[in-house]
Amino acid sequence: MGVPMALNLIKAGYKVVVWNRSADKCEPLKAAGATVAASPADVARQSDITFAMLSDPPAAVQVATGPGGIVEGMSAGKGYVDVSTIDPATAAAVAAAVRGTGALYLEAPVSGSKGPAEQGALIFLTAGDQALYDAAAGPLDVMGKASFFLGEVGAGANMKLVVNAVMGAMMGAFAEGLSLADRMGLQQQDVIDVVALGAIASPMFALKGPAMAKGNYPTAFPLKHQQKDLRLALAEADAAAQPLAVIAAANDLYVRARQQGHGDADFSAVLEAVKGQQQQ
Amino acid sequence: MGVPMALNLIKAGYKVVVWNRSADKCEPLKAAGATVAASPADVARQSDITFAMLSDPPAAVQVATGPGGIVEGMSAGKGYVDVSTIDPATAAAVAAAVRGTGALYLEAPVSGSKGPAEQGALIFLTAGDQALYDAAAGPLDVMGKASFFLGEVGAGANMKLVVNAVMGAMMGAFAEGLSLADRMGLQQQDVIDVVALGAIASPMFALKGPAMAKGNYPTAFPLKHQQKDLRLALAEADAAAQPLAVIAAANDLYVRARQQGHGDADFSAVLEAVKGQQQQ
Amino acid sequence: MGVPMALNLIKAGYKVVVWNRSADKCEPLKAAGATVAASPADVARQSDITFAMLSDPPAAVQVATGPGGIVEGMSAGKGYVDVSTIDPATAAAVAAAVRGTGALYLEAPVSGSKGPAEQGALIFLTAGDQALYDAAAGPLDVMGKASFFLGEVGAGANMKLVVNAVMGAMMGAFAEGLSLADRMGLQQQDVIDVVALGAIASPMFALKGPAMAKGNYPTAFPLKHQQKDLRLALAEADAAAQPLAVIAAANDLYVRARQQGHGDADFSAVLEAVKGQQQQ
Amino acid sequence: MGVPMALNLIKAGYKVVVWNRSADKCEPLKAAGATVAASPADVARQSDITFAMLSDPPAAVQVATGPGGIVEGMSAGKGYVDVSTIDPATAAAVAAAVRGTGALYLEAPVSGSKGPAEQGALIFLTAGDQALYDAAAGPLDVMGKASFFLGEVGAGANMKLVVNAVMGAMMGAFAEGLSLADRMGLQQQDVIDVVALGAIASPMFALKGPAMAKGNYPTAFPLKHQQKDLRLALAEADAAAQPLAVIAAANDLYVRARQQGHGDADFSAVLEAVKGQQQQ
């Protein structure tokens, strides 16, 4: 996803310095006018604001704080914006290292995947240093259709967790509605069409519904990851003495889907747990 | 809602005969060119297709089968379309009486309220005699933006139940997301704004969310009615040996909201049950 | 169950008049010294207090209020004690008919089955006319080990519902504990043995546990009847705006067991719903 | 609890060597004939089998592996039995350290508190080295009324978790039954009395019920600890893809009780969460 994001910045006229673990990933950007750096630290030294899009928390830590990492090139007046999806603890560790150099830190996980990245239509859920959020407004505007500044480091990850927990429960309820409709003799496609015209219409129902009605669950977001987000949301709520009865019931339903062997399917396969093992 | 629906038919060039228990309700329609009949039976005698929009099941039974009712004016070649929201048992009783005269019957509860009625943007969830559905296509098209033929009598009411059950669980999950966000130090309005841009965006969240974030629940759909639909959906599912864990948990949450005294508030007041009685 | 109950009364020295739809059922009682009457009304005419043990609500209504029924033989100074398990509405109807003759009425469903009936160890959950409860103290003491006077007609049935709802949820939790133990590598029989020695020991766990650990569910109380009691308890709670989250989750689990085809097995077969359809 | 346990060993004729962080705790044991050692290592050196009863996991680690700890005095042919309640990870760490000396290790958390300790009526849930379980049979028999060997290290803690999870759900269901009874006009004490005579009777209901009916929850096992065990059981089940719908609903109810401020009360205060905030 980093390539289309950087291309959009170049097209908008920004001077862009790039680095990737696999040097060949930088070729299209070099062709488009980017300077290729020798290391993350080298990017940071040459840039006012450094953006990182990494695959997981260990990569985020390595690129920021490892040998030749971002921190070595950071200093007061510079900023580091990590658009990877990482947990609050990782974000806090990287933030501390970056701030230790006098630089500013912004956690900015994105909502949206490859398509929105190409179209400059990502959504940035940022948190950390508001001054850096303000300074990065131009580039964020080029790469995304919206950005939010949500507060202290960790708030971006927390916002993703809240949204995904609601999403998981919504999908569970939708799967139950489809199953109930089926048992009542209604056509599931009719449910999908009626829902699409009313108050509870959502892009997710429109996108996933028709495949679900056919028993197909092509994996976009794996069920086991959806269930992990439900589990993490419940853990956060537990720590805050906040009951979440609907989300807890949805979580149990996804665990049941995993019990049935659907952990690697799309999370819409929770429908299979609702269908269960029906009497022959 | 009957008045704007009839006005749309008149505007579209249909010859319209009207009746209402309160004669003055017919005045604007008379002014617009409608003929006022002396009784429901009188409407039926003068019309090819008779539409009824009534407040509740007892009214639906009375107008159809009481003295001077629809059935007295029905005969082979005619059709009766009841767009009221009634339960499957009432629909079956009225259908039997109408069909006993040789006429056709269509249950056609609407999704949408006064605004959509005025704009001809209702959604009709019809079931019963498909020949009447076909014959009524013109008027339904004038009054609504979409209509569905769903099968046997009762299917229209069942579809409303399915959609409302999903809606109730979605709102419960959304309320839990807002509460969790609040406990995590996030702004509820930020949650609403982020949700509005993503896969789970829905008109309901956009419409209700901002008021919920302020603790306001102006009644559009009373919470006790939402809970009744969850209860009825669970009863249907129970009869069909279909588990509905998420909807069952949502139902319990709405019962708790009633326990707290929010039965007459909007169903979005389920948020108060999630908030609970927090430690001081 | 009526035969051993009547035998205990005869042995205790009471003068007993009996009737049964199948006359041969009266033979052992006649042999023991009972007078056989020609009809329920005939029993009532010859007795101060008439006890009835009937199979279901329709039989209870028929024997009490049908031709030749109890009510025809009732009058002021007499009493009718119905020890059948019937719903509050049936109990109220029979009570009204009996009281209309000036006689007293006591609903007295029993806890316990054939064994306790033979040993005079039943538990009577009575409600209705307290004067009749007092007058019937001797016979109730002969047939049971305990009796409770619980209030207005319907209270006996309600008490059974409360106890059975708690029982259903307990069994659901126990099944979950057994399954979790199994997944952790513990022996289910060890769980049963440890439970038996501690604070949560119960006759039900001791009786059902060992068979459950072997996947056997010989029917004592059918799962579909246990689930019906959970459903009725939830309906009563709903009417009273009382949330019951644990019992609602248990109810859903029993519905799932029915979905898997275990409705006619013992209610301990809810364990199969917990086990689910495990990944191969 | 260590004092009465050691006294029972002395009374039974065992030669007992003792140590406690607070030397005065050893006085009654010295008076009864015990030798007082200078350190845990000193106990281990003088004993074939060393028993430890410690307050929490950090204390268990410190006494076993800290300076002057058990491990320093352990060697092949000796055994260490830790009767403290500790988590599987702590047990595994201590087991590894002990076994590193050639000695044997037994995790043996107890069910039962001070009273059973004095009466030699504890229940030992042991796991680890079966040879040590066999060797310790005599002392365990003196101190307890039953002991179980459950398998690999961690199994003792897991068994406690399973039992406590079932217990938490049972108490939640019982609280719901009491609340439903109350809303139906039944006396809660009648429910308690009826339950006590039937299939679901349990020492816990008999002990806690009467106080619950009066709204009293004197703390024996704090609600927040009961909820922690439910949370841990759910986490174990999640890891094993085992759904636990009833236990999950119970957990949410205890979180709600904490939300209402009852975390430090007895776990029977979950009844307050069921009662909720009733309409005035």
Side-chain angles (χ1 to χ4, degrees):
Chain A
M1 273 177 68
V3 172
M5 292 169 75
L7 279 173
N8 282 331
L9 288 174
I10 295 166
K11 279 182 214 156
Y14 285 97
K15 186 160 170 275
V16 176
V17 183
V18 299
W19 175 88
N20 190 282
R21 202 166 27 169
S22 311
D24 58 326
K25 289 270 180 67
C26 296
E27 287 307 317
L29 297 170
K30 192 176 172 184
T35 305
V36 179
S39 68
D42 196 21
V43 174
R45 275 184 213 104
Q46 299 183 50
S47 308
D48 296 327
I49 301 178
T50 303
F51 289 89
M53 170 54 96
L54 301 156
S55 57
D56 55 26
V61 170
Q62 175 67 18
V63 164
T65 66
I70 297 289
V71 167
E72 294 181 7
M74 280 284 149
S75 58
K78 290 179 181 286
Y80 181 53
V81 182
D82 189 348
V83 303
S84 320
T85 292
I86 54 177
D87 58 285
T90 299
V94 173
V98 169
R99 286 165 170 172
T101 69
L104 301 179
Y105 176 82
L106 198 66
E107 160 197 29
V110 299
S111 174
S113 52
K114 203 167 183 180
E118 288 167 353
Q119 299 142 31
L122 295 168
I123 298 164
F124 294 96
L125 307 176
T126 82
D129 291 317
Q130 193 156 8
L132 178 53
Y133 176 69
D134 294 339
L140 290 175
D141 198 46
V142 163
M143 296 184 290
K145 67 176 176 184
S147 64
F148 296 86
F149 181 78
L150 302 166
E152 300 298 310
V153 170
N158 283 339
M159 179 62 80
K160 278 204 81 163
L161 211 53
V162 166
V163 173
N164 281 6
V166 175
M167 180 168 77
M170 268 177 69
M171 179 55 88
F174 184 60
E176 292 185 349
L178 289 177
S179 292
L180 174 57
D182 184 57
R183 303 307 293 267
M184 283 171 152
L186 297 168
Q187 297 300 311
Q188 297 190 330
Q189 189 58 51
D190 282 342
V191 176
I192 295 163
D193 292 343
V194 170
V195 163
L197 293 164
I200 63 169
S202 85
M204 176 173 78
F205 296 158
L207 182 69
K208 307 271 186 189
M212 291 170 73
K214 296 187 184 107
N216 295 335
Y217 316 102
T219 307
F221 183 41
L223 189 142
K224 65 186 176 191
H225 292 171
Q226 170 64 80
Q227 195 254 316
K228 185 189 66 176
D229 283 349
L230 289 163
R231 176 200 313 148
L232 292 175
L234 285 165
E236 291 286 339
D238 188 322
Q242 174 60 58
L244 296 181
V246 177
I247 288 170
N251 180 61
D252 189 75
L253 192 59
Y254 282 90
V255 172
R256 185 172 285 277
R258 285 174 48 219
Q259 185 188 41
Q260 292 182 3
H262 303 294
D264 293 319
D266 190 67
F267 73 109
S268 51
V270 72
L271 177 58
E272 292 297 315
V274 180
K275 283 183 187 171
Q277 202 174 8
Q278 293 182 21
Q279 186 169 9
Q280 300 309 316
Chain B
M1 274 176 65
V3 172
M5 292 169 75
L7 279 173
N8 281 332
L9 288 174
I10 294 167
K11 278 181 215 158
Y14 286 97
K15 187 162 168 272
V16 175
V17 183
V18 298
W19 175 86
N20 189 281
R21 199 166 29 170
S22 311
D24 59 327
K25 289 268 180 69
C26 295
E27 287 306 317
L29 296 170
K30 191 175 173 186
T35 304
V36 179
S39 68
D42 197 21
V43 173
R45 274 184 214 106
Q46 299 183 50
S47 309
D48 296 325
I49 301 177
T50 302
F51 289 90
M53 170 54 96
L54 300 155
S55 57
D56 56 26
V61 170
Q62 174 67 18
V63 164
T65 66
I70 296 288
V71 167
E72 293 181 9
M74 280 284 150
S75 58
K78 290 177 181 287
Y80 180 54
V81 182
D82 189 348
V83 302
S84 319
T85 292
I86 55 178
D87 58 287
T90 298
V94 173
V98 168
R99 286 166 171 172
T101 69
L104 301 178
Y105 175 82
L106 199 67
E107 160 197 31
V110 300
S111 174
S113 52
K114 205 167 182 182
E118 288 168 352
Q119 299 142 29
L122 295 168
I123 298 164
F124 293 96
L125 307 176
T126 83
D129 293 316
Q130 192 155 9
L132 177 53
Y133 176 69
D134 295 338
L140 289 175
D141 199 45
V142 163
M143 295 184 290
K145 68 177 175 185
S147 65
F148 297 85
F149 181 77
L150 302 167
E152 300 298 309
V153 169
N158 283 339
M159 180 61 82
K160 277 205 81 164
L161 211 53
V162 167
V163 173
N164 281 5
V166 175
M167 179 169 76
M170 268 177 69
M171 179 55 88
F174 184 60
E176 292 184 350
L178 290 178
S179 292
L180 174 57
D182 184 58
R183 302 307 293 267
M184 283 172 152
L186 297 169
Q187 298 299 311
Q188 297 189 330
Q189 188 59 49
D190 282 341
V191 177
I192 295 163
D193 292 343
V194 170
V195 163
L197 292 166
I200 62 169
S202 86
M204 177 173 77
F205 295 157
L207 181 68
K208 306 272 186 188
M212 291 169 73
K214 295 187 184 105
N216 295 334
Y217 316 103
T219 308
F221 184 40
L223 190 142
K224 64 186 176 191
H225 293 171
Q226 171 63 79
Q227 195 255 316
K228 185 188 65 178
D229 283 350
L230 289 163
R231 176 201 312 149
L232 292 175
L234 286 165
E236 292 287 338
D238 188 324
Q242 173 61 58
L244 295 182
V246 177
I247 288 171
N251 179 61
D252 189 74
L253 192 59
Y254 283 90
V255 173
R256 186 173 284 275
R258 285 174 48 220
Q259 184 189 40
Q260 291 182 2
H262 302 295
D264 294 319
D266 190 67
F267 74 110
S268 51
V270 72
L271 177 57
E272 292 297 314
V274 181
K275 284 182 187 172
Q277 202 175 6
Q278 293 181 20
Q279 188 170 6
Q280 300 310 314
Chain C
M1 273 177 65
V3 172
M5 292 170 73
L7 278 174
N8 281 333
L9 288 174
I10 294 166
K11 278 182 216 157
Y14 285 97
K15 184 159 171 276
V16 175
V17 182
V18 298
W19 174 88
N20 190 282
R21 203 165 26 170
S22 312
D24 59 327
K25 290 271 180 65
C26 296
E27 286 307 316
L29 296 171
K30 192 176 171 185
T35 304
V36 178
S39 67
D42 197 21
V43 174
R45 274 184 213 106
Q46 299 183 50
S47 308
D48 296 327
I49 301 179
T50 302
F51 289 89
M53 170 54 95
L54 301 155
S55 58
D56 55 26
V61 169
Q62 174 66 20
V63 164
T65 66
I70 297 288
V71 166
E72 293 181 9
M74 279 285 148
S75 57
K78 290 179 181 289
Y80 180 53
V81 181
D82 190 348
V83 302
S84 319
T85 291
I86 55 177
D87 59 285
T90 299
V94 173
V98 168
R99 286 166 171 173
T101 70
L104 300 180
Y105 175 83
L106 199 66
E107 159 197 30
V110 300
S111 175
S113 52
K114 204 167 183 180
E118 289 167 353
Q119 299 143 29
L122 295 169
I123 298 164
F124 293 97
L125 307 176
T126 81
D129 292 316
Q130 193 157 6
L132 178 52
Y133 176 69
D134 295 338
L140 290 175
D141 198 45
V142 164
M143 296 183 289
K145 68 177 175 184
S147 65
F148 295 86
F149 181 78
L150 302 166
E152 300 297 311
V153 170
N158 283 340
M159 180 61 81
K160 277 205 80 163
L161 212 53
V162 166
V163 172
N164 281 5
V166 175
M167 179 169 76
M170 268 176 69
M171 179 55 88
F174 184 60
E176 293 185 349
L178 289 177
S179 292
L180 175 57
D182 184 58
R183 304 305 295 267
M184 284 172 151
L186 297 169
Q187 298 300 311
Q188 297 189 331
Q189 188 59 49
D190 282 342
V191 176
I192 294 162
D193 292 343
V194 170
V195 163
L197 292 165
I200 63 169
S202 85
M204 177 173 79
F205 295 158
L207 181 68
K208 307 271 186 189
M212 292 170 71
K214 295 186 185 107
N216 295 334
Y217 316 102
T219 307
F221 184 40
L223 189 143
K224 65 186 176 191
H225 293 171
Q226 170 63 80
Q227 195 255 315
K228 184 189 69 177
D229 283 350
L230 289 163
R231 177 200 312 147
L232 292 175
L234 286 164
E236 291 286 340
D238 187 323
Q242 174 61 58
L244 295 181
V246 177
I247 288 171
N251 180 61
D252 190 74
L253 192 60
Y254 283 90
V255 172
R256 184 173 285 276
R258 285 174 47 219
Q259 185 188 41
Q260 291 182 2
H262 304 295
D264 293 320
D266 189 66
F267 73 110
S268 50
V270 71
L271 177 57
E272 291 297 314
V274 180
K275 284 183 187 171
Q277 202 176 8
Q278 293 181 22
Q279 186 170 9
Q280 300 310 315
Chain D
M1 272 176 67
V3 172
M5 293 169 75
L7 279 173
N8 282 331
L9 288 175
I10 295 167
K11 279 182 216 157
Y14 285 97
K15 185 161 170 271
V16 176
V17 182
V18 299
W19 174 86
N20 190 282
R21 201 166 28 170
S22 310
D24 57 328
K25 289 270 179 68
C26 295
E27 287 305 317
L29 297 171
K30 192 175 172 185
T35 305
V36 178
S39 68
D42 196 21
V43 173
R45 275 184 213 107
Q46 300 183 51
S47 309
D48 297 325
I49 302 177
T50 303
F51 290 89
M53 170 55 95
L54 301 155
S55 58
D56 56 27
V61 170
Q62 174 68 19
V63 164
T65 66
I70 297 289
V71 167
E72 293 181 10
M74 279 284 149
S75 58
K78 291 179 181 287
Y80 180 52
V81 183
D82 189 349
V83 302
S84 319
T85 292
I86 55 178
D87 59 286
T90 299
V94 173
V98 168
R99 287 166 170 171
T101 69
L104 302 178
Y105 175 83
L106 198 67
E107 159 197 30
V110 300
S111 175
S113 51
K114 204 167 183 181
E118 288 167 353
Q119 300 143 29
L122 295 168
I123 298 163
F124 293 96
L125 307 176
T126 82
D129 292 317
Q130 192 156 8
L132 178 53
Y133 175 70
D134 295 339
L140 289 175
D141 198 46
V142 163
M143 295 185 289
K145 68 176 175 186
S147 65
F148 296 86
F149 182 77
L150 302 166
E152 300 298 310
V153 170
N158 283 340
M159 180 62 81
K160 277 204 81 163
L161 211 52
V162 167
V163 173
N164 280 6
V166 175
M167 178 169 78
M170 268 177 67
M171 179 54 89
F174 184 60
E176 292 185 350
L178 289 178
S179 292
L180 175 56
D182 184 58
R183 303 306 294 268
M184 283 172 152
L186 297 169
Q187 298 300 311
Q188 298 189 331
Q189 188 58 49
D190 282 341
V191 177
I192 294 162
D193 292 343
V194 170
V195 163
L197 293 165
I200 62 169
S202 87
M204 176 173 78
F205 296 158
L207 182 68
K208 306 271 187 189
M212 291 169 73
K214 294 186 185 107
N216 295 334
Y217 316 103
T219 307
F221 184 41
L223 190 142
K224 65 186 177 192
H225 293 170
Q226 170 63 79
Q227 195 255 315
K228 184 189 66 177
D229 283 349
L230 289 163
R231 177 201 312 147
L232 292 175
L234 286 164
E236 292 287 338
D238 188 322
Q242 174 61 57
L244 296 181
V246 177
I247 288 171
N251 180 61
D252 189 74
L253 192 59
Y254 283 90
V255 173
R256 185 172 285 276
R258 284 174 49 220
Q259 186 188 40
Q260 291 181 3
H262 303 294
D264 293 319
D266 189 68
F267 73 109
S268 52
V270 71
L271 176 58
E272 291 297 313
V274 180
K275 285 182 187 172
Q277 203 176 8
Q278 293 181 21
Q279 187 169 8
Q280 300 309 315

